[in-house]
Amino acid sequence: MAWTRNVLRVNLSAGTCTPEPLNMTWAQDYLGQRGLATKYFVSEVDPKVDPFAPENELIFVTGPLTGTMASTGGRYSVVTKGPLTGAIACSNSGGYFGAELKFAGWDMLIFEGASPKPVYLLLIDGKAELVDAGSLWGKTVWETEEEIKKVHQDPQIRVAAIGRAGEIGVLYAGIVNDLHRAAGRSGVGAVMGSKNLKAVAVRGTRTDSYPLANPKAFLAATEAAKKVLAANGVTGQGLPTYGTQVLMNVINELGALPTRNHRDIQFEGAGDISGEAMHRKRPTDGKANLVTNGACFGCTIACGRISRMDPGHFTVKDKPQYQGASGGVEYEAAWALGAANGVNDLEALTYANFLCNEHGFDPISFGATVGAAMELYDLGILTKDEVGFELPFGSTEAMVKLAELTARGEGFGKEIGMGSRRLCAKYGRPDLSMTVKGQEFPAYDGRGLQGMGLAYATSNRGACHLRGYMVSPEVLGIPVKMDPQATEGKAAMLKAFQDLTAVVDSAGICLFTTFAWGLADIQPQIQAACEGDWSPERLLLVGERIWNMEREFNLAAGLTKKDDCLPPRLMKEEAKTGPQKGAVSKLDVMLPEYYEVRGWTAEGVPTAGTRARLGV
Amino acid sequence: MQKSLHLDPNKCTGCLQCEMACAWEKYETFTIAKSRIKVFTFHHEGRFVPYTCTQCDEAWCLIACPVDAIKLDPVTGAKIVLEPTCVGCKVCTIACPFGTINYVAQTGKVQKCDLCDGDPACAKACPTGAITYVDADWTGLGKMRAWAGKTDTTAATA
Ligand code: SF4
Ligand code: SF4
Ligand code: SF4
C-alpha cells in the first residue's frame, strides 16, 4: 500500500484540522507526492487565484516511498500557485521532515484559508493542533526549530518553517526543514507566510500506518537498487565527495556556466568556488571549508555539504552563530551567489548560503537577481544613491550586504526580494532579466546546452534544472551522449526526462538517483511497495499525465505559448568564449518539435486526443 | 570468537538506514522511533554519531533487574531482555549509564540492542561501513592500521 491513506485538511481561517481519507482512485492515477498533491490542487483551486489570497492552497505531500528503506526515500514536496511565476509551484525537499510526516500517519497536509494570527501546526502522530506562533513570528528558521523543540520538550520533533523572508513576502522565499534542507523555489515560503503559518512541527511514532504491498520483494528490490547507486561513479563517488559541486569545473570548461547575468558563459573564478575548492585547506586557518558530507533521510548517496567558515572572514568575525558547521553551498547556490555575480569568494558564498537557510529564501533566485542588479548598475541605470552602496560585478561586499538586507526586507533588499523580472521591469530593462515565467535560471546556460534551454523554456514551474535534466545526456552521457549543440532528438529526450522526473518526484525519492537508476531500477521498488499494477509503461503514462495536468493549470492560469521562451540575450547574443563560442539558443527549432512529441497543438495546448489518452 | 558492533562516527552520514533496519527487524516498521540504535546529529560540529548498547561485560541493567528479565546470550555476548519476564519497572533504564535500554510504552516492556542473534540488521544496512560487526577483541584494528600506515619507515630502511 505504502500510502497512509490519511489526509489532513487544515482550514487556517476557521482554525480547524479535519482528517479525511485519501482519494485512492487518484493515488492510482497520480502515484503520490508531486502528482497526487497537484491533482488535489488543480481540482480545488481556481487557476486565476491570486497566490497570496486565502483561496490559494498550500499542500505538503509525501510519496509512497517516503519513509521507507528505499534509498533517498525521504522526500516531500510543497505544492501551491507560485507568487514568483503565477504558475503551478512544486518545491521538493529532503532532510528528515518528510519521513516523519509518514511516521505520524499522514500522506498529505492541505492548508486552506489564512490564519488571522501567526500559528504553527503541531502534529503528534494522529493528533493535530494549531498553536499560537505570536512569539515565533519574526524569528529565524533556526530559532523557530529550537524554540518549538524546547517548548514541547521533545528534541525528536522535526520542523519545517519559514523565516523572515517568508513572513515579509520575498517572492522566492522557501520553506526550510531540518535547518538546511529546503523546498526552496518559486516562493512557496511566501505563500506560507501569507497564510500566517510559521511552521509545521511533526513527531511520528506510529508503526502500522502504511504497510507495504509486498515487504519481502520491497526489501530485495531496495537492496539491489542501493547496490546500483554504490557502484555508479556519480552516485557512489562523485556526489558523496564533491556534492553537486562536482559540476562547477566541468560545466565551466564546457562553456555553459552563465556568468555575470549571462553576459559571459565561462567564469574565471570557477575554480575558487568549486567542489574541489571546498576540500582545499584555507591559507588563513589551515582548515577546509567542507567538514563532511551528510545524507537526507534514507539516502545512501549523501551528497549534502556540511561546511564551516573561516571564523576570521569579514562576514562572520563577531558572529559566533555562523562560526559552527552548517549547510554548505551546493552547485546551484555556489553558481548563483558566485558566478552569476562574478564573486569568487567561497567563504562569502557560504555565509550568504547560511543566511538563505537561516531566513528562508532561495539562493538561486536571490543570487541571480543580484546579478541582474549588478548589470543594471554597470549600465548606469541603477545608481549608488538608489542602492545605498556601490554594486559592481564581482563585489563580495555588495553581494553579502544584499543577502542581509533581503533577509530583513530592508533598503534595496526590498527590490532584490521581488526577483529579477520585477526588478528589471521596474528599471525599464525587462530584457535583462534572466528568467523564464518569472523564475531565475539555475546554473547551466541554454546557449551552451541546447536541450537545457528547451527544458527551461518548457518547465511548468519556470526556469528550473529539476524538470528535465538535459545535462545528463548533454554533458554526462546518461542514458546516451548527445552533442550539446545539436537540436535533433532533444525534444523527445526532454519529454522522456520530464515524464520520468515526475514519476521519481511522485514516488518520494530523490532525482539524483537517476544518475544511476533507470526506470528498470525504480519500478520494482514502487511495484513492491504499492498495491496495483505499476508496470514501467503505466508509470511513464502517470508521469506524462502529471506533466500535462500541470500544463493545463498554467494555461488556465493565463500562461500561453509566449511564456515558453528564453530571454533575448540567450536567443541573440552569442556565447563569447569556450567550446560553445558563437552559440545562441535554437529554441525556435526545438519548440515546435517539442509540442509535437507532446501531442500538443502548435499553440502548445494538449490536443483532444492527448487529453483523452491521458485522462486529464 | 565473539563479535561486537563497531561504530565509526567518522564514516556516518546520518542517513538513518540503520535505524530503519533495526525497527524493521524488531517491529516490521520503518518508523525509526522504534529503533534501538540512534544516530545523533551534532549539526554545528558537522558530526553524525551512531550509538547503541555496547553489551557491557558486567551489565548494570542485568544486575539491576529485580525479576531477572535480562539474560546473557553466551554465544553473542548480548544482554537480552526476556519480554515475558520483564515487568516494565524501568529500574534497568536508571541503572544503565549510557541510556541504551529504554521503555516501550506500546508493549509495557523495555527494549535494548540484542545483536540480532549475531546477525545485526543495522550493520547490514549501513551503506558507509560506519557500523560493522567485528572480532570483539579487535575493534581497534582499523585505527591501528590507519596509524600504522602513517608510520615513517623510510628512515629505518635507509
Ligand atoms: S542525493 Fe543528496 S539531495 Fe538527494 S536525498 Fe541524497 S543527500 Fe539528499
Ligand atoms: S544489532 Fe540488531 S537490535 Fe542491535 S541496534 Fe543493530 S539492528 Fe538493532
Ligand atoms: S546507516 Fe550507517 S551511515 Fe547511515 S546513519 Fe546509520 S551508521 Fe550512519
Short mmCIF file of all heavy atoms in Angstrom, two decimals, chain B residues 5 18 21-23 25-26 35-37 52 55 112-116 119-123 131, ligand 2:
data_model
loop_
_atom_site.label_atom_id
_atom_site.label_comp_id
_atom_site.label_asym_id
_atom_site.label_seq_id
_atom_site.Cartn_x
_atom_site.Cartn_y
_atom_site.Cartn_z
N LEU B 5 29.54 -4.93 17.87
CA LEU B 5 29.23 -3.84 16.95
C LEU B 5 30.32 -2.80 17.07
O LEU B 5 30.68 -2.39 18.17
CB LEU B 5 27.89 -3.20 17.30
CG LEU B 5 26.62 -3.87 16.83
CD1 LEU B 5 25.43 -3.01 17.24
CD2 LEU B 5 26.62 -4.10 15.32
N CYS B 18 20.27 2.52 9.21
CA CYS B 18 20.43 1.59 10.33
C CYS B 18 19.22 1.60 11.25
O CYS B 18 18.76 0.56 11.71
CB CYS B 18 21.69 1.94 11.13
SG CYS B 18 21.77 3.67 11.67
N ALA B 21 16.45 -0.22 9.60
CA ALA B 21 16.72 -1.67 9.58
C ALA B 21 16.41 -2.29 10.93
O ALA B 21 15.82 -3.37 11.01
CB ALA B 21 18.17 -1.92 9.19
N CYS B 22 16.79 -1.59 11.99
CA CYS B 22 16.55 -2.10 13.34
C CYS B 22 15.05 -2.15 13.63
O CYS B 22 14.52 -3.16 14.09
CB CYS B 22 17.26 -1.24 14.37
SG CYS B 22 17.09 -1.85 16.06
N ALA B 23 14.36 -1.07 13.32
CA ALA B 23 12.91 -1.02 13.56
C ALA B 23 12.20 -2.10 12.75
O ALA B 23 11.25 -2.73 13.22
CB ALA B 23 12.36 0.36 13.20
N GLU B 25 13.53 -4.98 11.66
CA GLU B 25 13.92 -6.28 12.22
C GLU B 25 13.05 -6.64 13.43
O GLU B 25 12.60 -7.76 13.58
CB GLU B 25 15.40 -6.23 12.62
CG GLU B 25 15.97 -7.50 13.19
CD GLU B 25 16.15 -8.59 12.14
OE1 GLU B 25 16.30 -8.23 10.94
OE2 GLU B 25 16.15 -9.78 12.52
N LYS B 26 12.82 -5.66 14.27
CA LYS B 26 12.15 -5.95 15.53
C LYS B 26 10.65 -5.72 15.51
O LYS B 26 9.90 -6.33 16.26
CB LYS B 26 12.75 -5.09 16.66
CG LYS B 26 14.26 -5.27 16.84
CD LYS B 26 14.61 -6.73 17.12
CE LYS B 26 16.12 -6.88 17.28
NZ LYS B 26 16.53 -8.30 17.20
N SER B 35 13.58 2.22 16.77
CA SER B 35 14.94 1.69 16.62
C SER B 35 15.69 1.63 17.94
O SER B 35 15.50 2.46 18.82
CB SER B 35 15.72 2.57 15.64
OG SER B 35 17.06 2.17 15.61
N ARG B 36 16.55 0.65 18.04
CA ARG B 36 17.37 0.51 19.25
C ARG B 36 18.74 1.14 19.05
O ARG B 36 19.54 1.21 19.97
CB ARG B 36 17.51 -0.97 19.60
CG ARG B 36 16.14 -1.57 19.86
CD ARG B 36 16.16 -3.08 19.92
NE ARG B 36 14.76 -3.54 20.08
CZ ARG B 36 14.42 -4.75 20.43
NH1 ARG B 36 15.34 -5.65 20.67
NH2 ARG B 36 13.16 -5.07 20.55
N ILE B 37 19.02 1.51 17.84
CA ILE B 37 20.25 2.27 17.60
C ILE B 37 19.81 3.67 17.22
O ILE B 37 18.79 3.86 16.56
CB ILE B 37 21.11 1.63 16.49
CG1 ILE B 37 22.43 2.38 16.34
CG2 ILE B 37 20.38 1.54 15.15
CD1 ILE B 37 23.49 1.57 15.57
N THR B 52 24.56 2.84 20.30
CA THR B 52 23.64 1.85 20.89
C THR B 52 24.36 1.11 22.02
O THR B 52 25.49 1.48 22.39
CB THR B 52 23.11 0.87 19.82
OG1 THR B 52 22.08 0.07 20.40
CG2 THR B 52 24.21 -0.04 19.27
N GLN B 55 26.96 -3.69 25.07
CA GLN B 55 26.94 -5.02 25.70
C GLN B 55 28.04 -5.14 26.76
O GLN B 55 28.93 -6.00 26.66
CB GLN B 55 27.09 -6.14 24.65
CG GLN B 55 26.26 -5.97 23.38
CD GLN B 55 24.75 -6.06 23.59
OE1 GLN B 55 24.28 -6.47 24.65
NE2 GLN B 55 23.98 -5.65 22.60
N LYS B 112 16.29 -3.21 24.24
CA LYS B 112 17.68 -2.83 24.01
C LYS B 112 18.22 -3.65 22.85
O LYS B 112 17.61 -4.63 22.42
CB LYS B 112 18.53 -3.06 25.26
CG LYS B 112 18.70 -4.53 25.63
CD LYS B 112 19.55 -4.71 26.87
CE LYS B 112 21.02 -4.44 26.65
NZ LYS B 112 21.63 -5.29 25.62
N CYS B 113 19.36 -3.25 22.37
CA CYS B 113 20.00 -3.99 21.29
C CYS B 113 20.34 -5.40 21.75
O CYS B 113 20.91 -5.60 22.82
CB CYS B 113 21.28 -3.25 20.87
SG CYS B 113 22.31 -4.23 19.76
N ASP B 114 19.99 -6.39 20.92
CA ASP B 114 20.30 -7.78 21.27
C ASP B 114 21.22 -8.41 20.23
O ASP B 114 21.35 -9.63 20.16
CB ASP B 114 19.01 -8.59 21.42
CG ASP B 114 18.19 -8.62 20.14
OD1 ASP B 114 18.69 -8.13 19.09
OD2 ASP B 114 17.04 -9.10 20.16
N LEU B 115 21.83 -7.58 19.42
CA LEU B 115 22.76 -8.03 18.36
C LEU B 115 22.08 -8.93 17.33
O LEU B 115 22.76 -9.61 16.56
CB LEU B 115 24.00 -8.72 18.96
CG LEU B 115 24.93 -7.84 19.80
CD1 LEU B 115 26.09 -8.67 20.36
CD2 LEU B 115 25.47 -6.67 18.99
N CYS B 116 20.76 -8.90 17.32
CA CYS B 116 20.02 -9.66 16.30
C CYS B 116 20.52 -11.11 16.16
O CYS B 116 20.73 -11.59 15.04
CB CYS B 116 20.12 -8.96 14.94
SG CYS B 116 19.34 -7.36 14.85
N ASP B 119 23.50 -11.48 13.92
CA ASP B 119 23.42 -11.07 12.53
C ASP B 119 22.79 -9.67 12.47
O ASP B 119 21.65 -9.50 12.02
CB ASP B 119 22.56 -12.08 11.76
CG ASP B 119 22.62 -11.85 10.25
OD1 ASP B 119 23.51 -11.11 9.79
OD2 ASP B 119 21.74 -12.40 9.55
N PRO B 120 23.52 -8.67 12.91
CA PRO B 120 22.93 -7.34 13.13
C PRO B 120 22.38 -6.70 11.85
O PRO B 120 23.11 -6.50 10.88
CB PRO B 120 24.09 -6.49 13.66
CG PRO B 120 25.18 -7.44 13.98
CD PRO B 120 24.96 -8.70 13.20
N ALA B 121 21.11 -6.37 11.90
CA ALA B 121 20.45 -5.77 10.74
C ALA B 121 21.02 -4.39 10.44
O ALA B 121 21.15 -3.99 9.28
CB ALA B 121 18.95 -5.67 10.98
N CYS B 122 21.37 -3.64 11.47
CA CYS B 122 21.87 -2.28 11.26
C CYS B 122 23.17 -2.30 10.48
O CYS B 122 23.39 -1.48 9.59
CB CYS B 122 22.04 -1.57 12.60
SG CYS B 122 23.07 -2.47 13.78
N ALA B 123 24.06 -3.21 10.84
CA ALA B 123 25.36 -3.27 10.17
C ALA B 123 25.18 -3.62 8.70
O ALA B 123 25.86 -3.08 7.83
CB ALA B 123 26.27 -4.29 10.85
N ILE B 131 28.92 1.18 10.62
CA ILE B 131 28.60 0.12 11.58
C ILE B 131 29.13 -1.19 11.01
O ILE B 131 28.77 -1.59 9.90
CB ILE B 131 27.08 -0.04 11.78
CG1 ILE B 131 26.44 1.30 12.12
CG2 ILE B 131 26.80 -1.07 12.86
CD1 ILE B 131 24.92 1.22 12.22
S1 SF4 C 2 22.21 -5.22 16.38
FE1 SF4 C 2 20.05 -5.50 15.92
S2 SF4 C 2 19.00 -4.85 17.78
FE2 SF4 C 2 21.08 -4.09 17.92
S3 SF4 C 2 20.91 -1.98 17.13
FE3 SF4 C 2 21.54 -3.31 15.42
S4 SF4 C 2 19.62 -3.87 14.43
FE4 SF4 C 2 19.08 -3.07 16.45
#
